[in-house]
Amino acid sequence: MVSLKARATKVLRSGRWSELHVHGLGAALGPAIVLAATLVQESGGRLTASATTSTELLVDHASDGEESRIRHNSAIHIRLTKG
């Protein structure tokens, strides 16, 4: 998580990008939210966040004669914008 925060901070400070998107799927939902919240909090009001959620269709491909399995998983998409 520390390396993701460092990379996101570097991208935002570079001045090349005015926004950053953080995505989390399944077990990565919590860490994605924590990362985005930390970046917003540490920006001193320079970043704003907006989030949407979705349900993603996943296919587990079969091996050795088993059938493929279709399942759904929750996802979050957080847009961090310099403001």
Side-chain angles (χ1 to χ4, degrees):
M1 173 83 135
V2 174
S3 62
L4 290 175
K5 182 180 158 218
R7 177 68 180 139
T9 301
K10 183 178 178 180
V11 167
L12 289 167
R13 287 186 180 163
S14 74
R16 293 184 62 200
W17 311 102
S18 61
E19 65 183 37
L20 179 74
H21 295 257
V22 177
H23 300 279
L25 177 69
L29 283 169
I33 294 168
V34 170
L35 173 62
T38 301
L39 291 168
V40 169
Q41 184 178 19
E42 291 181 359
S43 75
R46 292 184 306 269
L47 284 178
T48 58
S50 61
T52 58
T53 59
S54 65
T55 302
E56 302 297 325
L57 178 72
L58 304 176
V59 178
D60 296 326
H61 292 287
S63 60
D64 299 328
E66 295 177 7
E67 289 188 31
S68 294
R69 190 177 86 148
I70 296 174
R71 59 191 174 96
H72 296 86
N73 213 332
S74 299
I76 190 159
H77 317 280
I78 306 166
R79 180 180 174 207
L80 301 173
T81 309
K82 289 182 180 179

